[in-house]
Amino acid sequence: MSQGSFGDAELWGDQSPAPRLDVARLTEDLTEPQRLAVTHPGGPLLVVAGAGSGKTRVLTRRVAYLLEVDRVAPWEILAITFTNKAADEMKRRVAELVGSRSERMWVQTFHSACLRLLRSNAGVLGFDPGFTIYDSDESRSEVERIMKDFGIDVKATKPRSVLAAISGAKNAMLSPTAYMEIDADPKRDMIAKVYQRYEDCLRRANAMDFDDLLLNAVRMLQKDPAVRERYQEQFRHVLVDEFQDTNGVQNQLVEILSAHHGNICVVGDADQSIYRFRAADVRNILQFSQRYPDATTILLEENFRSTQTILDAANAVIDRNESRIPKNLFTQRGRGDKIRRYAGEDEYDEGRWVISELRRFRNDYNIEWREMAVFYRTNAQSRVLEEQCIRAGVPYRVISGLRFYDRKEVKDALAYARLLVNPRDDMAARRVINEPRRGIGAVALTKLQSYATDHNISFAESVNHGDEAGLSGKAASGVRQFAGLLDELRALSNDLTPGIMIETIARESGILNELLADGSDEARGRIENLGELASAAAEYETMMEFLERLALTADSDQLDASAGAVSLMTMHVAKGLEFPAVVITGLEEGMFPHQRALVDQAELEEERRLCYVGITRAMRHLSLTHAWTRTMWGRRMDAITSRFWNEVPEELCEECSVVKPMRRSSFSDVDFGFEGRASDFASGRAFGTGEVQEARTSGADKLGLKVGDRVTHDRFGPGVIIGLSGEGERTRAFVRFDQGQAEKQLVLSISPLQRL
Ligand code: ATP
Ligand code: MG
């Protein structure tokens, strides 16, 4: 990324070849605490600090210092960063500094470091050095095959959920036996049995899955004292960035490798711990000083990235988290501009304002496209933003994550849609004939293909002739099922609109059920993408129009990136990066914070940390947006402003919203009557407090409510009004309820309050 993770351009620059640096040059532009960290003589070192305070800079600079001043050999340094991109960036910068010597340095992600350790020592655990790594799809099909072997009903218990349990056990370093012994439970016994067989199969295939890379590296080091000691001896310095997001296995690896020299340097910020769902354990950083009683702890409090206004906003938000050690970031960069906020009528209006904001950054402040970023909470939100960028001719790229229409589930659903429109679409048929799995293997596909060739028909049409093509058993019934499904969908497509049709495809094909049964975060993201696709299709009269539009969009998409492009990404991806101008979108309850967080305090705090990460990426300009309504699964849903929006003090903000006339007269226009599982899910992740009820009209004005009034609510009990906003149907009250001291934002027309 242009505006990179380490942003240290004035020192590292792009000039090459780099001169040899002396101590003064390495430390002259550091603050005193930063200098202490960089020149730390050895022993455990913990650098804890808020965002943008120079943690990554300290880590990178320390690596240079060790090489240049302490004369540590490159291969004696193990520097672990969070992503491949961050690792590459660090390697590049150190290479500029010390030249080709740096090639021998271990700058890696956890997974790549473990792979390297395992490749050289695979024999310790009985693997051949050329072992294969299974990706998650391969792991899942292996688990599925094993389950079937055991006669387990893979419809009732989804292979993906079993794999998730196995992955959890691996991250907790539990063997199948240890996992089984946790408690007596038939389901656990079943999973343990599959886990054991899965391990046997991996071994037989000389394969490891992704979790195994970490786990087996640790096991290998534990098992062979000679190998362990060799690496402990080799790594005179172990350094880890973003330490707050390490999990138990990663922590153990670091402990083992640094045990001999004791030179372990970790940097992190507990307020930026956002990977709990991947077993990250923030206790690793919180308990570092207990684990290493002789550790030196250095605090960095000066922020070099953002304006004071941006920092004040970040501080105000993160301060709401109860389980944290308070700290305050300050900067000498001055107050800077106010944070601009815009509430759009819907996601398109929001998107249009985002574009105008990007243009303003460019025109008024001379900020390059590549110096701007737009963040969102879920990948699906990129679709509307991408479309707006294309329409407005603003170059963009979606960072980490495929472009919306390139995503697998989206392509699969579209392949079905294409087959409805053109029954001879071979590419589409090949894509989904066995998607989701219907037991149609390579042999069956070959037979269908020959039949098609012999009879001069397309492959797609051959699915109606499975029996004549010589298929039997599972393949024959699978092909019959596929052909039947297409007939059924075609019949429905005469009557249904494109939006509903996409939803029907997702449901009837089995794609949706598979994802629902999976239940992982990834699957949820995929379901959201399908919902988003349905929303996109809902704007068209016919499916053909929609498909044509897509084909054209993809073509015009090749924008010239030489002038740079605006980065679109989720806030998870944004960790560690910085940009002069940032827009955070979709600040709605149920969107950000995410639906799950509305009922779970720990999840909510994690979401708030994510918000803190998002805000603190901005250097000079920050804008926040939300939409009053958003289309989910082709249906318009009303949204409630995110609590995070309200947690940013008003005096830091400039409101840019234009009050527009209401499009609808009342909530009763909204169709809340969902049908089927897909829609249940959609409504489950919809907006608001989850208490959508029949429309009732009772605005604050009508009730004569004012700030300070004591009120009571059917579910939350008594409380006091601490704020009121909006008008008519959109009247909102902020209430601090007595119970649990909870503060809630309520839309009075759907959640009425009684004055006490
Ligand atoms: P994050 O928590 O987001 O990972 P960080 O603590 O790792 O942030 P860096 O990315 O290292 O922070 O630094 C933030 C910005 O501040 C960078 O642009 C960096 O070059 C700059 N910076 C850090 N220290 C100094 C300093 N002493 N003088 C000038 N600029 C500095
Ligand atoms: Mg950093």
Side-chain angles (χ1 to χ4, degrees):
M1 179 150 323
S2 50
Q3 199 60 42
S5 345
F6 309 110
D8 226 347
E10 76 283 11
L11 175 70
W12 301 98
D14 278 331
Q15 329 89 319
S16 56
R20 286 177 72 81
L21 299 181
D22 55 30
V23 190
R25 178 91 204 278
L26 278 173
T27 55
E28 68 190 1
D29 57 350
L30 298 178
T31 61
E32 187 55 16
Q34 287 179 330
R35 195 186 61 76
L36 287 174
V38 167
T39 60
H40 177 67
L45 172 64
L46 169 67
V47 179
V48 274
S53 56
K55 293 181 299 297
T56 303
R57 179 190 246 223
V58 159
L59 194 99
T60 314
R61 199 69 72 84
R62 181 163 170 77
V63 169
Y65 183 88
L66 293 171
L67 290 167
E68 286 300 292
V69 181
D70 282 359
R71 295 280 160 200
V72 176
W75 58 89
E76 293 174 331
I77 294 176
L78 171 61
I80 293 178
T81 61
F82 198 72
T83 59
N84 284 315
K85 201 174 72 59
D88 290 346
E89 190 76 3
M90 188 181 285
K91 249 184 277 187
R92 193 177 66 75
R93 288 185 171 152
V94 177
E96 278 171 10
L97 192 69
V98 301
S100 58
R101 282 204 295 148
S102 67
E103 280 163 25
R104 305 199 54 193
M105 219 169 59
W106 289 55
V107 183
Q108 329 236 208
T109 64
F110 271 106
H111 282 97
S112 66
C114 289
L115 180 56
R116 198 163 161 186
L117 290 171
L118 286 167
R119 282 269 182 245
S120 312
N121 305 281
V124 174
L125 296 179
F127 287 89
D128 286 341
F131 60 84
T132 317
I133 301 157
Y134 277 0
D135 67 20
S136 56
D137 273 350
E138 288 165 330
S139 301
R140 194 200 24 78
S141 43
E142 190 70 345
V143 165
E144 180 170 346
R145 202 183 50 73
I146 294 166
M147 288 172 70
K148 285 181 180 157
D149 258 15
F150 280 130
I152 300 165
D153 178 0
V154 293
K155 289 234 161 52
T157 314
K158 289 290 163 188
R160 245 181 222 288
S161 67
V162 173
L163 182 63
I166 292 174
S167 170
K170 286 186 177 185
N171 278 315
M173 300 198 70
L174 295 172
S175 67
T177 322
Y179 175 79
M180 192 175 69
E181 283 167 358
I182 290 179
D183 59 26
D185 167 35
K187 180 149 190 218
R188 183 177 289 281
D189 291 349
M190 179 276 284
I191 293 172
K193 195 165 76 168
V194 175
Y195 180 11
Q196 183 62 60
R197 175 74 68 86
Y198 175 64
E199 288 297 280
D200 297 343
C201 291
L202 283 168
R203 231 160 231 290
R204 223 171 300 135
N206 193 34
M208 297 188 194
D209 67 15
F210 220 54
D211 296 317
D212 285 338
L213 290 180
L214 300 176
L215 183 58
N216 283 343
V218 170
R219 278 192 187 139
M220 183 271 290
L221 293 168
Q222 285 172 335
K223 188 167 174 205
D224 190 323
V227 175
R228 183 172 66 238
E229 280 157 26
R230 197 170 81 231
Y231 285 110
Q232 286 176 333
E233 189 57 39
Q234 176 182 334
F235 293 128
R236 282 176 61 195
H237 288 274
V238 178
L239 305 96
V240 188
D241 197 4
E242 308 273 6
F243 192 66
Q244 75 277 359
D245 278 321
T246 50
N247 66 24
V249 184
Q250 291 163 329
N251 192 44
Q252 197 148 354
L253 183 85
V254 170
E255 274 189 28
I256 295 173
L257 290 177
S258 60
H260 188 96
H261 295 287
N263 294 325
I264 169 169
C265 163
V266 302
V267 311
D269 175 6
D271 286 338
Q272 294 185 64
S273 171
I274 54 174
Y275 280 98
R276 202 169 72 114
F277 66 93
R278 284 197 201 147
D281 189 348
V282 73
R283 282 173 303 182
N284 292 337
I285 196 165
L286 298 177
Q287 294 169 0
F288 187 84
S289 312
Q290 278 145 272
R291 174 72 190 78
Y292 299 98
D294 59 334
T296 305
T297 301
I298 293 178
L299 296 171
L300 308 177
E301 282 178 316
E302 178 165 2
N303 173 293
F304 292 93
R305 178 180 293 148
S306 312
T307 62
Q308 192 64 52
T309 299
I310 291 169
L311 287 186
D312 286 350
N315 287 337
V317 171
I318 197 66
D319 213 33
R320 301 285 179 123
N321 271 6
E322 277 165 23
S323 53
R324 75 181 280 266
I325 307 157
K327 63 171 177 278
N328 244 330
L329 286 174
F330 71 95
T331 181
Q332 299 184 30
R333 302 192 60 175
R335 292 224 63 83
D337 284 359
K338 286 200 165 180
I339 294 164
R340 286 161 56 90
R341 294 200 293 204
Y342 181 81
E345 179 76 358
D346 55 22
E347 65 271 39
Y348 293 95
D349 186 30
E350 180 191 33
R352 275 190 296 275
W353 191 78
V354 171
I355 299 289
S356 70
E357 197 66 349
L358 298 176
R359 288 229 164 92
R360 196 181 63 88
F361 294 145
R362 193 167 147 98
N363 297 337
D364 295 2
Y365 300 96
N366 247 338
I367 296 175
E368 306 267 353
W369 295 128
R370 65 183 158 78
E371 296 175 318
M372 306 175 198
V374 182
F375 300 155
Y376 34 83
R377 174 65 182 81
T378 61
N379 277 306
Q381 288 167 266
S382 78
R383 201 261 308 171
V384 171
L385 293 166
E386 284 184 63
E387 276 182 17
Q388 300 276 348
C389 283
I390 291 169
R391 210 164 288 169
V394 170
Y396 73 94
R397 52 191 182 150
V398 178
I399 307 297
S400 176
L402 300 161
R403 280 186 331 149
F404 183 79
Y405 292 112
D406 286 344
R407 293 178 184 138
K408 179 183 179 300
E409 62 283 3
V410 170
K411 277 189 145 176
D412 289 349
L414 285 174
Y416 280 101
R418 277 163 49 178
L419 280 167
L420 304 188
V421 175
N422 172 16
R424 293 192 297 187
D425 187 331
D426 275 0
M427 290 297 283
R430 262 188 249 279
R431 182 172 181 97
V432 290
I433 187 167
N434 201 30
E435 188 64 46
R437 275 157 217 276
R438 301 188 178 89
I440 304 167
V443 178
L445 293 181
T446 316
K447 283 187 181 166
L448 285 176
Q449 184 60 62
S450 345
Y451 181 88
T453 314
D454 291 346
H455 293 79
N456 206 17
I457 57 172
S458 70
F459 171 81
E461 288 168 295
S462 74
V463 301
N464 296 313
H465 309 277
D467 293 349
E468 295 108 284
L471 301 187
S472 57
K474 236 168 133 195
S477 62
V479 167
R480 258 198 306 279
Q481 194 195 336
F482 180 60
L485 169 66
L486 290 179
D487 284 345
E488 192 188 317
L489 289 173
R490 278 191 195 112
L492 287 171
S493 69
N494 296 328
D495 298 316
L496 301 179
T497 59
I500 303 291
M501 208 49 224
I502 293 285
E503 191 176 324
T504 310
I505 286 171
R507 195 171 49 234
E508 296 301 319
S509 66
I511 294 175
L512 187 66
N513 271 341
E514 199 171 77
L515 293 171
L516 283 168
D518 177 349
S520 67
D521 275 87
E522 195 197 344
R524 261 191 284 261
R526 286 169 187 270
I527 293 172
E528 283 163 5
N529 289 340
L530 288 172
E532 192 61 19
L533 183 69
S535 303
E539 295 167 36
Y540 293 84
E541 291 279 310
T542 67
M543 188 63 89
M544 183 162 345
E545 263 178 49
F546 176 51
L547 293 173
E548 270 172 16
R549 173 61 201 263
L550 288 189
L552 297 176
T553 305
D555 257 351
S556 64
D557 203 17
Q558 305 304 321
L559 289 163
D560 177 17
S562 56
V566 176
S567 302
L568 311 186
M569 66 184 93
T570 64
M571 269 162 288
H572 279 101
V573 171
K575 191 172 73 154
L577 306 179
E578 60 187 17
F579 297 88
V582 167
V583 185
I584 303 180
T585 64
L587 278 150
E588 292 136 34
E589 289 285 294
M591 180 67 93
F592 187 38
H594 204 270
Q595 183 72 25
R596 271 165 297 146
L598 301 183
V599 288
D600 181 333
Q601 185 62 23
E603 290 268 5
L604 180 63
E605 298 217 339
E606 174 115 340
E607 292 285 304
R608 199 176 270 116
R609 288 193 292 270
L610 190 59
C611 184
Y612 173 77
V613 167
I615 293 174
T616 54
R617 300 309 92 199
M619 298 166 84
R620 299 205 296 276
H621 302 280
L622 175 66
S623 309
L624 309 177
T625 67
H626 83 79
W628 283 119
T629 65
R630 197 175 281 278
T631 306
M632 302 296 302
W633 290 92
R635 294 179 181 88
R636 207 123 270 283
M637 309 286 284
D638 278 86
I640 294 177
T641 317
S642 167
R643 70 193 70 199
F644 301 151
W645 173 291
N646 296 312
E647 285 168 10
V648 175
E650 240 165 66
E651 62 271 20
L652 302 177
C653 300
E654 176 189 343
E655 302 297 338
C656 304
S657 316
V658 187
V659 182
K660 294 186 180 168
M662 292 273 303
R663 254 211 323 247
R664 268 198 323 275
S665 57
S666 97
F667 268 82
S668 54
D669 289 352
V670 187
D671 174 16
F672 286 121
F674 300 105
E675 290 169 10
R677 288 193 69 187
S679 308
D680 288 347
F681 189 89
S683 65
R685 70 153 321 293
F687 308 124
T689 50
E691 55 191 316
V692 176
Q693 302 168 1
E694 268 185 40
R696 290 182 234 176
T697 37
S698 50
D701 30 353
K702 213 167 165 189
L703 284 172
L705 292 175
K706 59 182 191 314
V707 173
D709 280 355
R710 295 277 305 162
V711 289
T712 180
H713 180 270
D714 289 355
R715 221 170 79 210
F716 306 122
V720 60
I721 297 188
I722 54 172
L724 286 165
S725 70
E727 286 175 357
E729 294 293 336
R730 294 211 193 286
T731 311
R732 283 143 220 274
F734 300 82
V735 184
R736 181 174 300 136
F737 288 100
D738 300 350
Q739 213 173 0
Q741 299 236 309
E743 280 174 21
K744 295 201 185 300
Q745 185 183 182
L746 304 169
V747 174
L748 294 179
S749 56
I750 54 173
S751 188
L753 295 169
Q754 302 300 322
R755 201 134 56 115
L756 284 179

